[in-house]
Amino acid sequence: MTSAPAVALICGSRSDLPALQGCIEQLDAYQIGWEASVISAHRQPEALRAYVAEAEAAGTRIFIAAAGLAAHLPGVVASLTQLPVIGIPLDAGGLGGQDALLAIVQMPPGVPVATVAVGGARNAAHLAARILALGDAAVAERVAAFRREQAGRAELRIQPRVER
Ligand code: RP5
């Protein structure tokens, strides 16, 4: 039942794989298990259906799906599961990823895809961590530690010069 890693990453083409790097790095930093697959919603619809069913049955908790252009992959995954689906629009053509962004974010009521920014792979991992943290105290502590560290990096205090 729980043989699968918590996060299943899917992208629509081998050409999308480099865009997942930030997501994978961040999931690793949170010590969240993941697996990645290339399955095209358009070219391999039956394989996609089978993979989503298998992953869900094996204990996957969240799907992260990345695609460019018509970018139907995250929405199709959301139609095949009731697990949370996070969509990453990719810049794969002449429209700078706006095509994929609109395709992924414009889901009908009842079939949501939590959409991050174009190329926002790292935020997909942060969002997945926050979802998993709801039921996992160790992940929650790692999210809290990341936020403390991020706040520390952002902080800058400038003192007025004291004239003597
Ligand atoms: C989309 O079309 C894929 O997600 C990819 O971003 C884009 C181009 O795919 P390939 O032609 O490289 O397979 O479906």
Side-chain angles (χ1 to χ4, degrees):
M1 184 59 191
T2 53
S3 59
V7 174
L9 277 155
I10 315 172
C11 61
S13 170
R14 291 177 190 221
S15 63
D16 296 333
L17 280 171
L20 298 183
Q21 191 58 34
C23 183
I24 288 169
E25 287 173 9
Q26 198 58 55
L27 289 172
D28 282 344
Y30 282 130
Q31 298 172 46
I32 292 170
W34 57 270
E35 66 180 18
S37 310
V38 178
I39 311 175
S40 167
H42 299 124
R43 296 163 177 147
Q44 305 161 278
E46 295 310 326
L48 181 63
R49 177 187 291 276
Y51 175 74
V52 171
E54 279 165 24
E56 191 165 350
T60 291
R61 309 286 305 282
I62 298 173
F63 288 97
I64 296 177
L69 305 178
H72 290 115
L73 179 65
V76 173
V77 172
S79 78
L80 294 171
T81 182
Q82 67 179 55
L83 292 172
V85 178
I86 301 171
I88 309 173
L90 301 179
D91 177 1
L95 299 179
Q98 298 295 309
D99 42 2
L101 173 63
L102 293 176
I104 294 173
V105 82
Q106 292 278 8
M107 289 299 291
V111 195
V113 172
T115 308
V116 297
V118 174
R122 212 165 267 278
N123 249 4
H126 288 299
L127 181 53
R130 288 182 178 208
I131 295 169
L132 292 169
L134 292 169
D136 186 327
V139 174
E141 177 46 42
R142 286 180 211 120
V143 171
F146 171 83
R147 299 187 69 224
R148 285 194 296 272
E149 191 256 330
Q150 184 182 51
R153 271 187 279 126
E155 188 169 301
L156 174 65
R157 296 197 181 178
I158 299 171
Q159 304 283 345
R161 192 165 35 187
V162 179
E163 298 292 342
R164 292 184 185 273

